[in-house]
Amino acid sequence: MMNEQDIQRIETEESSIDFGAIWQALLRHKRLYLKVLPAAFVLAAIYALSLPNYYMCEVKLSPELSSSRSSSSLLSLASNFGVNLGRGNTGTEALFPTLYPDLMNSVDFKTSLFPVKVTIEGDKEKREPSRTMSYYDYIRDEQKSPWWSAAIKGFFSLFASKKADAPKTVDPFRLTKEQTAIAKSIDKRVVCDVDKKTMLITINVTDQDPYIAACMADTVKHRLQDFITDYRTKKARVDLDYNRKLYNEAKARYDKARRLYAEYADANQDMVLQSARTKLIDLENEMQLQYNAYNTIAQQLTAAEAKVQEETPAFTTLQSATVPVQKSGPSRAKMCLIFTFLAFLGATVYILHKENQLKPLLGLG
């Protein structure tokens, strides 16, 4: 009887991979490679050449964090180590930089980009003039697509019902199918990312036109800054409007009191009666009271104006929008190599399966 070592040796010999046999099997089907690999390369080239070029413009911003935001971060860090510093006066700011990507993904923000004017530069050699249109119309009418996409779209358009006229206004609460498709396209084109450690804001805009990519990157940057500024200064601007209203009312009362005092004093310059003098004193006191109120509210108005300026955030632009010179994609050479490599793997697996060499190679024999 055979012992366990002999059995293991026999099993090892039976399960060993014969690379020579595999190589000979591949050589016997080398003509298959000569057919498959060139065909795969040609198909990959046709596919890659059908894809339109696209360009990417990147903008980087560094936002100013308020003192309340910094205090909140310090308290959060201390709490991680079990230290309670108290809440203190941490403010009520709710729009942190980490929420900016969610803001840009909102329907309101994306639909606000619909009416932005973009310009397609004309070809001077062909004497084509530049054209200006809305970003909505540009995405809908001026985008290049692969030939098969146009063919599929044309095929299904034969069975589609007649489209109703698109509404002239955009209601973010109730978008049409076309408007929803444009919003989804903008969602893929405009991407915002925030580094949670450095709070660095990166805005990437991808487009088939390098000039429009740079213009939209700059536009999105300013739209984001304006929205954040409006949010941060909203309460301060409400207080400013209220103080300005009080200031105008106090100034009107003071002007009225001063006019009454001046008119009465001019009409009673040679006053003899004590009642006339008493009324003049009363008018003077009323004028002084209105002046004191007017002066106090004027100081409050000045403080409210300073508060708006204090709450206005500052942004440092680390990388401005610039027209990209080189395309960002597609990488046609890489596509061809990947397609050809996959075709090589597929042909190899087919040959090994046909020559009964696949199971030993996988350890299934």
Side-chain angles (χ1 to χ4, degrees), residues 105-291:
N105 288 332
S106 65
V107 176
D108 292 333
F109 190 88
K110 287 183 287 189
T111 53
S112 69
L113 299 178
F114 284 179
V116 174
K117 297 297 181 181
V118 295
T119 301
I120 302 177
E121 294 183 321
D123 192 343
K124 295 181 179 179
E125 295 181 357
K126 297 180 180 180
R127 296 182 179 180
E128 294 180 355
S130 300
R131 293 178 294 158
T132 301
M133 63 189 68
S134 66
Y135 193 49
Y136 181 93
D137 294 336
Y138 168 75
I139 295 178
R140 183 188 61 185
D141 302 328
E142 301 296 332
Q143 294 301 295
K144 299 177 182 178
S145 58
W147 57 268
W148 58 84
S149 297
I152 294 174
K153 185 177 180 180
F155 176 77
F156 283 104
S157 64
L158 298 176
F159 304 95
S161 58
K162 185 178 180 181
K163 294 183 178 179
D165 294 337
K168 296 181 180 180
T169 59
V170 178
D171 183 10
F173 180 74
R174 192 173 186 177
L175 297 177
T176 63
K177 290 184 178 181
E178 182 181 89
Q179 292 169 352
T180 302
I182 299 297
K184 290 181 179 180
S185 178
I186 293 178
D187 191 21
K188 297 178 181 179
R189 295 166 181 268
V190 181
V191 179
C192 178
D193 183 61
V194 177
D195 191 329
K196 295 182 179 180
K197 294 182 179 180
T198 61
M199 294 301 167
L200 180 66
I201 305 171
T202 303
I203 300 174
N204 289 316
V205 176
T206 304
D207 200 273
Q208 296 178 6
D209 190 316
Y211 179 74
I212 293 180
C215 291
M216 289 305 301
D218 189 67
T219 300
V220 170
K221 181 192 73 172
H222 287 96
R223 290 290 178 95
L224 181 62
Q225 290 177 345
D226 292 342
F227 185 91
I228 297 169
T229 300
D230 290 341
Y231 173 83
R232 290 278 298 273
T233 61
K234 183 177 182 180
K235 185 178 184 303
R237 285 184 287 109
V238 171
D239 294 341
L240 176 61
D241 293 338
Y242 180 70
N243 279 278
R244 187 176 286 116
K245 177 182 177 183
L246 294 180
Y247 171 83
N248 294 330
E249 294 176 352
K251 187 175 185 302
R253 290 193 298 267
Y254 170 65
D255 291 340
K256 181 180 179 181
R258 185 177 58 178
R259 185 180 65 256
L260 292 175
Y261 172 78
E263 291 176 354
Y264 190 83
D266 292 340
N268 298 273
Q269 292 183 357
D270 299 328
M271 61 184 65
V272 178
L273 298 176
Q274 186 63 33
S275 59
R277 295 180 180 178
T278 301
K279 185 175 181 180
L280 184 63
I281 293 174
D282 292 341
L283 291 174
E284 184 179 3
N285 291 337
E286 179 65 20
M287 181 183 66
Q288 187 64 37
L289 288 175
Q290 296 299 334
Y291 173 76

Side-chain angles (χ1 to χ4, degrees), residues 57-130:
C57 182
E58 185 176 80
V59 176
K60 293 184 179 181
L61 297 173
S62 179
E64 177 192 33
L65 298 179
S66 63
S67 58
S68 61
R69 174 76 174 99
S70 302
S71 301
S72 178
S73 299
L74 180 60
L75 293 175
S76 178
L77 179 62
S79 63
N80 292 334
F81 292 94
V83 180
N84 185 11
L85 298 180
R87 297 307 300 174
N89 185 18
T90 58
T92 58
E93 182 182 359
L95 191 61
F96 297 155
T98 52
L99 298 179
Y100 294 170
D102 296 328
L103 165 65
M104 293 182 59
N105 288 332
S106 65
V107 176
D108 292 333
F109 190 88
K110 287 183 287 189
T111 53
S112 69
L113 299 178
F114 284 179
V116 174
K117 297 297 181 181
V118 295
T119 301
I120 302 177
E121 294 183 321
D123 192 343
K124 295 181 179 179
E125 295 181 357
K126 297 180 180 180
R127 296 182 179 180
E128 294 180 355
S130 300

